[in-house]
Amino acid sequence: MQTLKASSVRPMARAPGVRAAPRMQRPAVVHVKAELKVGDKMEVYPDYFRVLKTSQGGTVSLSSFKGKQPVVLFFYPKAATPGCTKEACRFRDEYSRFTQAGAAVFGISSDSPEENAAFAKANNLPYPLLTDANAILRKTFGIKPDLLGLLPGRQTFVIDVSGRCVMAFNDQFKVEQHVDEALKVLSSTSVTA
């Protein structure tokens, strides 16, 4: 029996004209803290500081609103689909009530900024739609898919001025109730103070 030393083992030579197989890139790893729950401080979620592209051509970081105003963030599955259009238009129709409560409103999906811009323009949406590329924020906040994993989850959060989650509402089918629940929470003085 022969024992080989590491120094005596040579890599196998390739035949002329044969290239090495390309290395596979690893998919991005998303570290999920846990499902975002009422009472959680947003700063423990690293993606709270992520810069997202808007449908209006700019960028925004949700953390930039801490200490300034509450944020209503509604995740929707896909722009220009019936349920998402109904939800987005209901947020549009009640937008003045959100601004009177001092809140910033954002819709968010994995659609491209261009798709979100077309959706916003077609429905006269007065608030920005954010692009969550690769659904990273959706995963970080622990939003589970619906309908046996076929649809991204529909979830609305209200984040108070101090950066604390004060509402988490999930329902794929009661799309207009997302607005009602958010307005109910915003009517509480502790959210805006």
Side-chain angles (χ1 to χ4, degrees):
M1 185 156 132
Q2 183 181 13
T3 305
L4 298 176
K5 294 181 184 176
S7 61
S8 67
V9 177
R10 295 183 186 170
M12 212 170 151
R14 286 191 207 108
V18 176
R19 294 184 182 169
R23 292 183 181 228
M24 299 296 291
Q25 288 187 354
R26 291 186 211 166
V29 176
V30 177
H31 296 282
V32 177
K33 184 207 173 289
E35 183 177 340
L36 178 59
K37 295 182 185 80
V38 171
D40 287 353
K41 285 286 196 181
M42 297 302 297
E43 61 258 12
V44 300
Y45 292 85
D47 288 305
Y48 175 57
F49 301 94
R50 179 178 293 279
V51 175
L52 303 166
K53 292 182 180 181
T54 74
S55 57
Q56 299 168 336
T59 58
V60 70
S61 172
L62 299 175
S63 62
S64 68
F65 293 89
K66 184 178 178 185
K68 297 176 185 171
Q69 67 186 119
V71 173
V72 175
L73 183 63
F74 70 96
F75 285 83
Y76 59 95
K78 181 79 176 140
T81 56
C84 297
T85 300
K86 188 174 185 179
E87 179 182 29
C89 288
R90 179 71 193 286
F91 271 101
R92 176 201 63 205
D93 296 345
E94 300 293 344
Y95 185 68
S96 64
R97 292 179 64 194
F98 287 104
T99 58
Q100 287 170 2
V105 175
F106 297 100
I108 185 166
S109 73
S110 294
D111 296 304
S112 72
E114 297 77 21
E115 289 170 311
N116 278 332
F119 181 49
K121 184 177 180 183
N123 293 287
N124 298 315
L125 303 180
Y127 49 84
L129 300 177
L130 308 178
T131 295
D132 180 22
N134 300 316
I136 290 174
L137 199 61
R138 183 182 294 276
K139 292 172 188 169
T140 300
F141 287 180
I143 302 171
K144 295 172 181 62
D146 292 323
L147 298 176
L148 303 172
L150 297 174
L151 284 177
R154 183 183 310 278
Q155 180 105 14
T156 299
F157 297 102
V158 175
I159 303 163
D160 72 6
V161 174
S162 72
R164 184 175 51 94
C165 179
V166 293
M167 188 206 82
F169 179 76
N170 181 306
D171 195 303
Q172 189 65 255
F173 302 107
K174 296 178 182 174
V175 297
E176 292 182 331
Q177 191 173 347
H178 287 257
V179 175
D180 299 333
E181 296 297 323
L183 285 170
K184 191 184 319 178
V185 170
L186 286 170
S187 66
S188 164
T189 57
S190 63
V191 174
T192 57

